Amino acid sequence: MKTLTISVTMLLVLCVSNARVSADSPADTARASLENYFKAWNEPDQAKRATLLAKTWAENGTYTDPTAHADGRDGLVKHIQGVMMQMKGFSITRTSEIEFHHDVFRFDWVMKDASGATITTGVDYGAFNESGAITKIVGFFGPVPTLK
Amino acid sequence: MKTLTISVTMLLVLCVSNARVSADSPADTARASLENYFKAWNEPDQAKRATLLAKTWAENGTYTDPTAHADGRDGLVKHIQGVMMQMKGFSITRTSEIEFHHDVFRFDWVMKDASGATITTGVDYGAFNESGAITKIVGFFGPVPTLK
């Protein structure tokens, strides 16, 4: 009976251990990272924005959209600051589910001005590392250009 | 008069030189690389496919879609071979213009079977190097998933 009790305990430990690994998979963490990424885009306080990205944006992560390129976490914190100075009161909201495969993802978003009018829509592609931190986002504005 | 003649000649040389640099920019070469990339996907002869990709796919380039990941040029040549063995007679065609910014791009495509029926649509985004060779393609199938 003692041997059986130990085995059951070991099985329980294994089950709990597997459940924890599953709950903390890189893709799950990346999903949480992207929630913080959106919070960061909507956080006017630079120190709070840096804290949000510290947990979720790889130190050497890169951000690239048609109008800008930002190297590293500090680069992104400052880039968002620059956009906020240019377009006061804007908001960025995700408008699709996030699709993941391998270590990559995509999602749609909309940027609105302070009155709620759409400034631009877009799609972001990106990648995450083994810790679930975002290493890259590449954005495009509007729909894919139609064939001429 | 002699001095003036030399100056005009130099101006002409500068103009021609600038025109050549512009015609061979990395983005222009990347556009040609992507034409070869589509030819490679539709080329059943493995040696010809390897030749097409040798000119246009970086040696360490990576290809990733929801069902596959291929490391390196040889990996992509073999991956296409595998798809051809699974789906005889398929074709892949670009269905949008290619949008470029910085060193990245995106475009839509459709995959059809031998009868011309659509197997799947998709979007590829990717990157190219300073030589205009493709270093990365990441594909997604179908539209971005709508918000639940």
Side-chain angles (χ1 to χ4, degrees), chain B residues 113-127:
Chain B
D113 67 18
S115 78
T118 295
I119 299 169
T120 186
T121 60
V123 60
D124 281 1
Y125 99 93

PDB file of all heavy atoms in Angstrom, chain B residues 113-127:
ATOM      1  N   ASP B 113      -5.999  23.580 -56.687  1.00  0.00           N
ATOM      2  CA  ASP B 113      -5.651  22.210 -57.073  1.00  0.00           C
ATOM      3  C   ASP B 113      -5.617  22.101 -58.597  1.00  0.00           C
ATOM      4  O   ASP B 113      -5.845  23.098 -59.304  1.00  0.00           O
ATOM      5  CB  ASP B 113      -6.603  21.190 -56.431  1.00  0.00           C
ATOM      6  CG  ASP B 113      -8.029  21.291 -56.961  1.00  0.00           C
ATOM      7  OD1 ASP B 113      -8.234  21.895 -58.037  1.00  0.00           O
ATOM      8  OD2 ASP B 113      -8.929  20.758 -56.297  1.00  0.00           O
ATOM      9  N   ALA B 114      -5.338  20.903 -59.092  1.00  0.00           N
ATOM     10  CA  ALA B 114      -5.149  20.708 -60.537  1.00  0.00           C
ATOM     11  C   ALA B 114      -6.391  21.083 -61.342  1.00  0.00           C
ATOM     12  O   ALA B 114      -6.289  21.476 -62.509  1.00  0.00           O
ATOM     13  CB  ALA B 114      -4.758  19.256 -60.816  1.00  0.00           C
ATOM     14  N   SER B 115      -7.576  20.998 -60.691  1.00  0.00           N
ATOM     15  CA  SER B 115      -8.825  21.347 -61.404  1.00  0.00           C
ATOM     16  C   SER B 115      -9.108  22.842 -61.371  1.00  0.00           C
ATOM     17  O   SER B 115     -10.085  23.302 -61.973  1.00  0.00           O
ATOM     18  CB  SER B 115     -10.003  20.581 -60.783  1.00  0.00           C
ATOM     19  OG  SER B 115     -10.398  21.196 -59.570  1.00  0.00           O
ATOM     20  N   GLY B 116      -8.302  23.602 -60.630  1.00  0.00           N
ATOM     21  CA  GLY B 116      -8.517  25.045 -60.527  1.00  0.00           C
ATOM     22  C   GLY B 116      -9.350  25.445 -59.319  1.00  0.00           C
ATOM     23  O   GLY B 116      -9.627  26.631 -59.118  1.00  0.00           O
ATOM     24  N   ALA B 117      -9.749  24.458 -58.495  1.00  0.00           N
ATOM     25  CA  ALA B 117     -10.521  24.771 -57.283  1.00  0.00           C
ATOM     26  C   ALA B 117      -9.581  25.280 -56.191  1.00  0.00           C
ATOM     27  O   ALA B 117      -8.457  24.786 -56.041  1.00  0.00           O
ATOM     28  CB  ALA B 117     -11.263  23.529 -56.798  1.00  0.00           C
ATOM     29  N   THR B 118     -10.050  26.258 -55.437  1.00  0.00           N
ATOM     30  CA  THR B 118      -9.226  26.843 -54.373  1.00  0.00           C
ATOM     31  C   THR B 118      -9.030  25.851 -53.234  1.00  0.00           C
ATOM     32  O   THR B 118     -10.003  25.294 -52.705  1.00  0.00           O
ATOM     33  CB  THR B 118      -9.888  28.133 -53.831  1.00  0.00           C
ATOM     34  OG1 THR B 118      -9.904  29.102 -54.879  1.00  0.00           O
ATOM     35  CG2 THR B 118      -9.132  28.686 -52.640  1.00  0.00           C
ATOM     36  N   ILE B 119      -7.763  25.611 -52.865  1.00  0.00           N
ATOM     37  CA  ILE B 119      -7.448  24.803 -51.683  1.00  0.00           C
ATOM     38  C   ILE B 119      -7.424  25.720 -50.459  1.00  0.00           C
ATOM     39  O   ILE B 119      -8.061  25.459 -49.452  1.00  0.00           O
ATOM     40  CB  ILE B 119      -6.085  24.094 -51.838  1.00  0.00           C
ATOM     41  CG1 ILE B 119      -6.102  23.157 -53.045  1.00  0.00           C
ATOM     42  CG2 ILE B 119      -5.723  23.335 -50.563  1.00  0.00           C
ATOM     43  CD1 ILE B 119      -4.729  22.616 -53.429  1.00  0.00           C
ATOM     44  N   THR B 120      -6.683  26.805 -50.558  1.00  0.00           N
ATOM     45  CA  THR B 120      -6.666  27.789 -49.475  1.00  0.00           C
ATOM     46  C   THR B 120      -6.160  29.131 -49.998  1.00  0.00           C
ATOM     47  O   THR B 120      -5.422  29.181 -50.985  1.00  0.00           O
ATOM     48  CB  THR B 120      -5.785  27.333 -48.283  1.00  0.00           C
ATOM     49  OG1 THR B 120      -5.924  28.278 -47.210  1.00  0.00           O
ATOM     50  CG2 THR B 120      -4.314  27.268 -48.641  1.00  0.00           C
ATOM     51  N   THR B 121      -6.611  30.189 -49.342  1.00  0.00           N
ATOM     52  CA  THR B 121      -6.022  31.505 -49.564  1.00  0.00           C
ATOM     53  C   THR B 121      -5.100  31.803 -48.377  1.00  0.00           C
ATOM     54  O   THR B 121      -5.180  31.125 -47.347  1.00  0.00           O
ATOM     55  CB  THR B 121      -7.098  32.602 -49.642  1.00  0.00           C
ATOM     56  OG1 THR B 121      -7.814  32.620 -48.406  1.00  0.00           O
ATOM     57  CG2 THR B 121      -8.064  32.327 -50.793  1.00  0.00           C
ATOM     58  N   GLY B 122      -4.268  32.804 -48.524  1.00  0.00           N
ATOM     59  CA  GLY B 122      -3.382  33.148 -47.421  1.00  0.00           C
ATOM     60  C   GLY B 122      -2.698  34.472 -47.635  1.00  0.00           C
ATOM     61  O   GLY B 122      -2.869  35.119 -48.676  1.00  0.00           O
ATOM     62  N   VAL B 123      -1.954  34.871 -46.608  1.00  0.00           N
ATOM     63  CA  VAL B 123      -1.126  36.077 -46.699  1.00  0.00           C
ATOM     64  C   VAL B 123       0.269  35.698 -46.225  1.00  0.00           C
ATOM     65  O   VAL B 123       0.426  34.921 -45.284  1.00  0.00           O
ATOM     66  CB  VAL B 123      -1.718  37.228 -45.853  1.00  0.00           C
ATOM     67  CG1 VAL B 123      -1.826  36.855 -44.383  1.00  0.00           C
ATOM     68  CG2 VAL B 123      -0.912  38.511 -46.014  1.00  0.00           C
ATOM     69  N   ASP B 124       1.272  36.192 -46.923  1.00  0.00           N
ATOM     70  CA  ASP B 124       2.659  36.012 -46.489  1.00  0.00           C
ATOM     71  C   ASP B 124       3.221  37.371 -46.123  1.00  0.00           C
ATOM     72  O   ASP B 124       2.981  38.362 -46.824  1.00  0.00           O
ATOM     73  CB  ASP B 124       3.532  35.443 -47.622  1.00  0.00           C
ATOM     74  CG  ASP B 124       3.361  33.944 -47.801  1.00  0.00           C
ATOM     75  OD1 ASP B 124       2.554  33.343 -47.073  1.00  0.00           O
ATOM     76  OD2 ASP B 124       4.035  33.384 -48.679  1.00  0.00           O
ATOM     77  N   TYR B 125       3.950  37.404 -45.014  1.00  0.00           N
ATOM     78  CA  TYR B 125       4.764  38.587 -44.785  1.00  0.00           C
ATOM     79  C   TYR B 125       6.194  38.115 -44.652  1.00  0.00           C
ATOM     80  O   TYR B 125       6.448  36.945 -44.373  1.00  0.00           O
ATOM     81  CB  TYR B 125       4.252  39.391 -43.594  1.00  0.00           C
ATOM     82  CG  TYR B 125       4.973  39.187 -42.300  1.00  0.00           C
ATOM     83  CD1 TYR B 125       6.027  40.028 -41.935  1.00  0.00           C
ATOM     84  CD2 TYR B 125       4.631  38.156 -41.446  1.00  0.00           C
ATOM     85  CE1 TYR B 125       6.701  39.844 -40.743  1.00  0.00           C
ATOM     86  CE2 TYR B 125       5.304  37.963 -40.253  1.00  0.00           C
ATOM     87  CZ  TYR B 125       6.339  38.808 -39.911  1.00  0.00           C
ATOM     88  OH  TYR B 125       7.001  38.610 -38.744  1.00  0.00           O
ATOM     89  N   GLY B 126       7.164  38.982 -44.899  1.00  0.00           N
ATOM     90  CA  GLY B 126       8.535  38.522 -44.865  1.00  0.00           C
ATOM     91  C   GLY B 126       9.521  39.657 -44.894  1.00  0.00           C
ATOM     92  O   GLY B 126       9.148  40.831 -44.763  1.00  0.00           O
ATOM     93  N   ALA B 127      10.792  39.292 -45.074  1.00  0.00           N
ATOM     94  CA  ALA B 127      11.879  40.275 -45.025  1.00  0.00           C
ATOM     95  C   ALA B 127      12.935  39.913 -46.057  1.00  0.00           C
ATOM     96  O   ALA B 127      13.029  38.762 -46.491  1.00  0.00           O
ATOM     97  CB  ALA B 127      12.487  40.312 -43.623  1.00  0.00           C
TER      98      ALA B 127
END
